[in-house]
């Protein structure tokens, strides 16, 4: 937890309401998201109990396994889930756009992509386990399942793994996204409770928000008291209607909270980097759809050593890029780096727009800017700098001391002998420079390793499930 976030939590505790820690929204919100609130049977890793899902807040669909220990009922539930999710996912494959690339052939990318929203990170984990338990099933041979079930498993695996990709919005968890934008006065563990977190953000903490009878857990696990006092008697009664209504009472409150969270996030203006990250998501989604249409095998159960190392390297690069994008988009996030000395902000005290370096044809325009700042500057002379005010422009730290910082603009001046209007900051202008660079911004999302749908980080591996796979988890 950063220093500013810690201070925001203390202030929230003192004032009794959550404090904003972002000025813009750092995630994409789809025009038609698919809300997915799953419940699982207690004591089972991936045994579904129920799910409430849909794209219309006034018309949710409830799918229930009236007897989760019955294997046939489980797969019938999975087939029902596929009837809802697969048409939604595949409905985004009809419209595509051609993306031109420098020094490479153009490629087709979906014009939009699905967004499956879950309540919390535990929901993402359940989706990933559910996908694993479904994707190796077969429509023929022993333990046959409907053809849509293994396809659903592949898509759920993809969405669950993509949720771990920094900056991805294909499967956002509401508690995590809210926590990126507001700091509550409770612990991080308590923030995983959607009702409690929303209570801090909207009206301040309330004992009712932590009462499982009023606001049941957002899943995937149910409250133990509900299991013992309501669910078990309902299942023992043999009445499917009684089980369905009991589970409805657990899911409907979370359904309303999910839409409330969406409305809160929609009230924030999207950050400048959100669109480019959504392009990467669309490229990744298009790649996954292409692999499925080409008859590629399911994702393997485990990554190989080389594939795992490559995946880790990509994730680390993506995390670094995401952190920089958030800082460039949001002054509150940039303030964290100003505290550590990796960035500084201040008022332009002096400029030399006509400064040049070199002689003759090698002479280049290198304007000088002097900034008055109160921030600690812990950067060495010669450090490369960037600025959120003029993205794509590069600079170099010349000197720093006595509250004055001198920088030299080294990139983005063009080939002219004089700087273009507005290219050099004017005296009195408020600017910010940082050692965080955003060279990756503005580049198209490519269907390469950065956007590959294969979560193990390499090309598709031929994989034939063995007997253990055929029997695992749901048999």
């Amino acid at each position: 937890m950063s220093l500013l976030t810690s201070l925001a939590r203390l202030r929230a505790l003192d004032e009794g309401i959550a404090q904003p820690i972002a000025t813009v929204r750092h995630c994409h919100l789809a025009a038609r998201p698919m809300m997915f609130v799953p419940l699982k049977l207690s004591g089972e890793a991936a045994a579904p109990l129920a799910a409430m899902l849909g794209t219309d807040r006034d018309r949710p669909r409830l799918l229930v396994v009236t007897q989760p220990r019955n294997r046939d009922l489980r797969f019938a539930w999975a087939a029902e889930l596929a009837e809802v999710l697969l048409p939604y996912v595949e409905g985004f494959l009809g419209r595509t756009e051609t993306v031109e690339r420098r020094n490479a052939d153009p490629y087709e990318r979906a014009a939009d992509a699905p967004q499956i929203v879950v309540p919390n990170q535990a929901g993402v984990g359940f989706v990933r386990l559910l996908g694993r338990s479904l994707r190796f099933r077969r429509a023929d041979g022993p333990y046959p399942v409907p053809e849509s079930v293994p396809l659903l498993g592949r898509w759920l695996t993809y969405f669950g793994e993509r949720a771990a990709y920094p900056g991805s919005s294909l499967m956002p968890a509401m508690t995590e996204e809210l926590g990126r934008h507001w700091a509550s006065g409770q612990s991080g563990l308590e923030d995983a409770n959607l009702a409690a977190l929303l209570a801090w953000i909207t009206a301040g903490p309330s004992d009712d928000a932590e009462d499982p009878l009023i606001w049941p857990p957002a899943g995937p696990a149910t409250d133990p008291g509900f299991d013992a006092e309501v669910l078990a008697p309902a299942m023992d009664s043999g009445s499917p209607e009684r089980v369905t209504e009991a589970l409805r009472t657990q899911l409907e409150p979370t359904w309303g909270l999910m839409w409330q969270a969406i409305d809160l996030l929609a009230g924030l203006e999207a950050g400048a980097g959100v669109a480019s990250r959504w392009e990467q998501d669309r490229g990744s989604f298009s790649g996954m759809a292409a692999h499925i249409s080409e008859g590629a095998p399911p994702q393997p159960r485990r990554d190989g050593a080389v594939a795992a190392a490559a995946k880790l390297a990509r994730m680390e690069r993506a995390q670094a890029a995401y952190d920089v994008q958030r800082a460039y988009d949001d002054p509150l996030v940039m303030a964290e780096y100003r505290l550590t000395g990796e960035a500084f902000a201040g008022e332009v005290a002096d400029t030399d727009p006509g400064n040049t370096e070199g002689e003759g044809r090698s002479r280049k325009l290198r304007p000088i800017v002097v900034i008055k700042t109160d921030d600690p500057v812990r950067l060495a002379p010669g450090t490369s700098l960037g600025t959120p005010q003029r993205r794509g422009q590069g600079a170099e730290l010349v000197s720093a001391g006595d509250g004055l910082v001198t920088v030299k603009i080294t990139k983005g001046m063009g080939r002219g002998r004089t700087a273009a209007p507005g290219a050099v900051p004017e005296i009195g202008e408020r600017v910010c420079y940082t050692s965080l660079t955003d060279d990756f911004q503005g580049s198209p999302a490519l269907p390469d390793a950065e956007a590959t749908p294969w979560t193990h980080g390499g090309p598709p591996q031929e994989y034939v499930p063995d007997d253990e796979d055929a029997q695992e988890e749901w048999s």
Side-chain angles (χ1 to χ4, degrees):
M1 184 185 302
S2 66
L3 177 59
L4 286 184
T5 301
S6 299
L7 291 173
R9 286 190 177 276
L10 290 174
R11 184 174 180 180
L13 186 61
D14 181 61
E15 298 185 5
I17 192 166
Q19 301 296 306
I21 53 175
T23 61
V24 297
R25 173 166 41 86
H26 296 285
C27 63
H28 174 80
L29 292 182
R32 193 170 64 95
M34 171 65 72
M35 297 293 179
F36 183 41
V37 186
L39 286 181
K40 72 179 183 68
L41 186 65
S42 297
E44 299 286 343
L49 185 60
M52 185 169 281
L53 69 164
T55 59
D56 187 341
R57 70 175 69 199
D58 298 321
R59 299 177 60 186
R61 182 165 177 180
L62 177 62
L63 306 179
V64 174
V65 182
T66 55
Q67 182 45 262
R69 294 180 179 85
N70 185 304
R71 179 185 177 280
D72 293 334
L73 292 179
R74 288 184 178 184
F75 284 112
W77 178 89
E80 285 186 90
L81 183 62
E83 290 177 1
V84 180
L85 286 182
L86 290 182
Y88 172 75
V89 171
E90 294 169 353
F92 290 88
L93 299 175
R95 290 194 310 116
T96 61
E97 60 187 17
T98 302
V99 180
E100 301 291 339
R101 294 184 290 171
R102 183 181 301 175
N103 301 325
D105 294 333
Y107 74 99
E108 292 297 315
R109 181 177 64 197
D112 201 0
Q115 185 178 59
I116 301 177
V117 185
V118 294
N120 47 37
Q121 278 295 329
V124 174
F126 176 76
V127 167
R128 192 162 50 244
L129 284 174
L130 185 60
R132 172 182 167 177
S133 66
L134 297 178
R135 70 178 185 264
F136 295 126
R137 301 296 163 177
R138 293 174 175 171
D140 54 4
Y143 308 109
V145 297
E147 293 183 356
S148 61
V149 170
L151 178 58
L152 174 66
R154 297 179 67 175
W155 277 115
L156 290 180
T157 298
Y158 167 70
F159 280 101
E161 294 294 339
R162 185 69 186 178
Y165 193 88
S168 174
S169 294
L170 287 179
M171 179 170 276
M174 281 296 93
T175 52
E176 183 176 5
E177 295 302 336
L178 291 173
R180 282 198 183 100
H181 297 82
W182 287 274
S184 72
Q186 59 187 3
S187 69
L189 181 62
E190 292 171 312
D191 280 347
N193 185 317
L194 183 59
L197 181 55
L198 278 171
W200 274 95
I201 295 172
T202 57
S206 169
D207 292 338
D208 290 346
E210 298 181 5
D211 188 342
L213 297 179
I214 300 175
W215 295 105
T222 52
D223 179 65
F226 166 80
D227 292 342
E229 299 175 14
V230 180
L231 184 59
M235 288 184 174
D236 293 340
S237 71
S239 171
E241 294 79 10
R242 185 176 171 183
V243 174
T244 298
E245 289 307 310
L247 292 171
R248 187 187 301 275
T249 64
Q250 300 297 292
L251 290 166
E252 281 186 337
T254 300
W255 177 263
L257 293 175
M258 294 272 283
W259 286 104
Q260 183 182 0
I262 288 289
D263 292 339
L264 281 171
L265 290 170
L268 299 174
E269 182 182 356
V274 169
S276 64
R277 293 195 295 272
W278 186 243
E279 288 180 357
Q280 293 179 1
D281 278 336
R282 289 192 283 126
S284 175
F285 168 71
S286 301
M288 179 64 186
H291 277 277
I292 290 178
S293 65
E294 293 167 1
Q299 302 95 321
R301 291 177 63 190
R302 299 178 183 86
D303 295 336
V306 175
K311 177 181 177 180
L312 178 61
R314 283 196 311 276
M315 296 284 280
E316 289 175 343
R317 290 197 302 270
Q319 184 64 61
Y322 180 49
D323 291 342
V324 173
Q325 281 186 333
R326 291 182 68 236
Y328 270 64
D329 292 349
D330 196 329
L332 274 180
V333 179
M334 182 65 79
E336 302 280 1
Y337 296 96
R338 291 172 59 187
L339 282 175
T340 61
E342 297 173 84
F344 59 90
E347 186 176 294
V348 176
D350 194 12
T351 63
D352 183 3
N355 182 65
T356 59
E357 290 182 352
E359 299 291 338
R361 293 185 177 181
S362 63
R363 178 177 297 180
K364 297 179 181 179
L365 186 64
R366 292 291 185 265
I368 297 294
V369 180
V370 180
I371 303 156
K372 183 178 180 181
T373 180
D374 296 326
D375 294 341
V377 182
R378 301 185 178 94
L379 302 173
T383 300
S384 297
L385 303 173
T387 173
Q389 286 78 32
R390 293 168 176 81
R391 302 195 182 199
Q393 188 179 96
E396 179 183 302
L397 180 65
V398 177
S399 64
D402 299 327
L404 293 177
V405 181
T406 302
V407 302
K408 177 174 60 179
I409 301 177
T410 59
K411 178 183 175 184
M413 288 291 98
R415 297 181 178 275
R417 295 185 177 181
T418 59
V424 180
E426 298 180 355
I427 295 176
E429 181 179 343
R430 183 79 178 175
V431 296
C432 176
Y433 283 90
T434 174
S435 59
L436 307 171
T437 59
D438 69 337
D439 294 338
F440 53 85
Q441 300 212 44
S443 60
L446 305 179
D448 56 10
E450 292 293 347
T452 177
W454 295 94
T455 55
H456 57 275
Q461 301 175 11
E462 189 65 33
Y463 184 82
V464 179
D466 55 23
D467 292 339
E468 180 184 356
D469 289 329
Q471 301 286 341
E472 73 170 0
E473 296 180 23
W474 272 32
S475 299

